[in-house]
Amino acid sequence: MAAAAELLGHFGGFLVTDDYVGYNGVPSMRRQLCWSHMIRHFTAIAEQSGVGGQIGRRLLLLARAVIRTRHRLDDGRLDETRYRRRMQRLRRSICKQIERGAALAPDSRTGRQCRHLLKRESMLWTFLLDQRIPLDNNRAERALRPYVIWRKLSFASHSRRGDRFRAQVLSVSETARQQDVPLYPFLRRICTEVLSAEGVTTRLPLGTARLPG
């Protein structure tokens, strides 16, 4: 939780996340649980036998209906009034199924999962406050994917300094890509300003520039 708080700083927007406990410090009214992750949870419940599996399969159908309804709004096939009406119906149905699951035996997997979900039910629907809030964090995961693959293929770095540099430079490069900023001139400007702040006045080629000390 401390690491997430340090990373976010004084973040004042809406955060779309999975169910990682590190984000529990973010107020629930500013946090949206990712529906892609919810579908994975519901799929795991649906694979169980008995009543628990029935509840999971129903939750899975309803979750997919939520995503379809949002896509229809985004595509202009659904107006705002009908969109909100359908979402409210879906919310009531999903809440009813979660409550059914929460009422199962205390030691059942479905019961535990649904009781946990019932406490966080409001965070499933934060996106209804503002249409700019996405239902999932797929965009962030797509941005991280190249970094994760590169880390596996390169066997990571061998020092804390290397870990920090890698995370920072890849964060800068991905941000530049998303904002259509040419990466090389941007990195050169950063290096030049750092060197200037450190008292280095000689304009060295980027490949040979070194910080004092």
Side-chain angles (χ1 to χ4, degrees):
M1 191 177 296
E6 182 181 356
L7 174 67
L8 293 171
H10 299 291
F11 179 76
F14 294 94
L15 197 65
V16 185
T17 73
D18 56 16
D19 208 16
Y20 175 53
V21 296
Y23 298 117
N24 285 350
V26 179
S28 60
M29 71 283 297
R30 291 198 290 107
R31 187 173 169 198
Q32 168 66 53
L33 290 180
C34 170
W35 276 91
S36 293
H37 285 84
M38 289 301 106
I39 284 179
R40 294 176 201 170
H41 289 320
F42 296 156
T43 299
I45 296 174
E47 291 172 349
Q48 299 175 41
S49 60
V51 177
Q54 294 174 7
I55 292 171
R57 288 188 287 276
R58 181 62 178 163
L59 285 170
L60 197 53
L61 288 172
L62 292 167
R64 288 171 176 161
V66 167
I67 293 174
R68 282 198 306 272
T69 301
R70 177 57 178 261
H71 286 171
R72 286 174 181 169
L73 174 73
D74 294 340
D75 294 342
R77 291 179 289 161
L78 201 62
D79 61 58
E80 177 75 16
T81 301
R82 286 192 296 164
Y83 165 74
R84 292 198 169 274
R85 201 159 49 223
R86 288 187 188 180
M87 282 299 188
Q88 291 303 330
R89 286 201 301 267
L90 287 167
R91 181 173 187 174
R92 288 193 295 269
S93 297
I94 287 174
C95 190
K96 181 179 178 181
Q97 294 302 318
I98 294 174
E99 289 174 344
R100 280 186 62 203
L104 294 177
D107 59 343
S108 71
R109 182 180 176 185
T110 301
R112 290 194 302 271
Q113 290 176 317
C114 287
R115 282 188 289 275
H116 173 74
L117 205 54
L118 198 57
K119 297 175 185 177
R120 308 165 82 77
E121 188 268 346
S122 65
M123 290 190 287
L124 290 173
W125 309 99
T126 308
F127 71 88
L128 292 175
L129 298 176
D130 192 319
Q131 287 186 24
R132 293 173 296 179
I133 303 173
L135 272 69
D136 55 55
N137 62 355
N138 291 348
R139 182 180 178 185
E141 294 206 348
R142 284 195 296 269
L144 286 171
R145 182 173 175 78
Y147 165 70
V148 173
I149 294 173
W150 179 82
R151 182 182 63 188
K152 289 180 178 179
L153 295 178
S154 66
F155 301 102
S157 60
H158 299 282
S159 68
R160 181 172 296 181
R161 183 179 180 182
D163 288 340
R164 184 175 299 174
F165 171 78
R166 181 186 60 206
Q168 290 174 341
V169 76
L170 291 177
S171 177
V172 169
S173 66
E174 179 61 25
T175 301
R177 187 189 67 80
Q178 291 192 23
Q179 296 185 2
D180 268 339
V181 175
L183 179 59
Y184 177 78
F186 185 53
L187 287 175
R188 187 179 182 95
R189 177 183 171 187
I190 291 173
C191 292
T192 300
E193 291 184 0
V194 169
L195 291 170
S196 176
E198 293 290 335
V200 177
T201 56
T202 304
R203 295 182 62 83
L204 299 174
L206 187 62
T208 61
R210 292 185 179 180
L211 294 178

